Amino acid sequence: MHAPPDEPEIMEAVLDEYEKLKQEGKIRCIGASIKGPSVTPATPALARQYIDSGRIDVLQMVYSIFRQMNLDVFEYALEKGVGIVARTALESGFLGGKYRPGHQFTTGHRSLYPPERQEILLKSMEQIEKKAVKAPFETIAQVAVKFSTAPETVSTLIVGARTAEQINQLRHTMSLPELDQDL
């Protein structure tokens, strides 16, 4: 379910329907993609609400260098046997290394960010890149992917690569050593 309902009564009704599909063998698992791009203090609470229902097998949640608020939920999900699919590790390309401070986004989803926010993200990326991109890591994108898959509770990651070249660049990331704890 993308953008699943927050209201407990509606949530239960929707989960009832998914349970029927599961019992009929039409689906094997029930998952919820918790809150879209805006991670707020309400996001972990909604995730816990779905975990506590006892009817969710997996949650898809934002987790990146820039947005770590959901990490607290991951351990709880593990205790309850709920898998985690992390997403937005590259922060819509802001952690991809392609764009630099001063870049102007005039079209596409990145243009929805206020210019001040764009600049903060790009400057932050550049600072992280200077500190973190050291052998064997070759790109900030590798660091960002490794960071988002570091918690043992993350079952998988949606990278969002757009080209074969990007996939080739990232495919060896999982074989790289863990990031330095200080980082």
Side-chain angles (χ1 to χ4, degrees), residues 34-94:
I34 302 294
K35 293 288 180 192
S38 300
V39 178
T40 69
T43 305
L46 182 60
R48 286 178 184 272
Q49 178 179 319
Y50 272 87
I51 293 168
D52 288 341
S53 76
R55 300 163 80 181
I56 291 292
D57 300 295
V58 64
L59 291 175
Q60 183 187 113
M61 300 185 74
V62 169
Y63 183 65
S64 76
I65 291 170
F66 290 156
R67 294 189 282 175
Q68 300 176 34
M69 187 183 303
N70 288 330
L71 183 60
D72 292 342
V73 173
F74 292 5
E75 200 63 42
Y76 187 65
L78 182 65
E79 290 171 19
K80 300 292 186 173
V82 174
I84 297 291
V85 174
R87 72 171 189 272
T88 320
L90 299 179
E91 285 293 341
S92 300
F94 284 103

Side-chain angles (χ1 to χ4, degrees), residues 76-121:
Y76 187 65
L78 182 65
E79 290 171 19
K80 300 292 186 173
V82 174
I84 297 291
V85 174
R87 72 171 189 272
T88 320
L90 299 179
E91 285 293 341
S92 300
F94 284 103
L95 286 169
K98 179 179 177 181
Y99 306 108
R100 298 288 159 194
H103 186 91
Q104 299 291 315
F105 298 100
T106 56
T107 61
H109 62 282
R110 287 180 216 91
S111 67
L112 299 176
Y113 289 79
E116 309 79 44
R117 180 75 179 139
Q118 292 176 20
E119 194 65 14
I120 289 168
L121 290 169

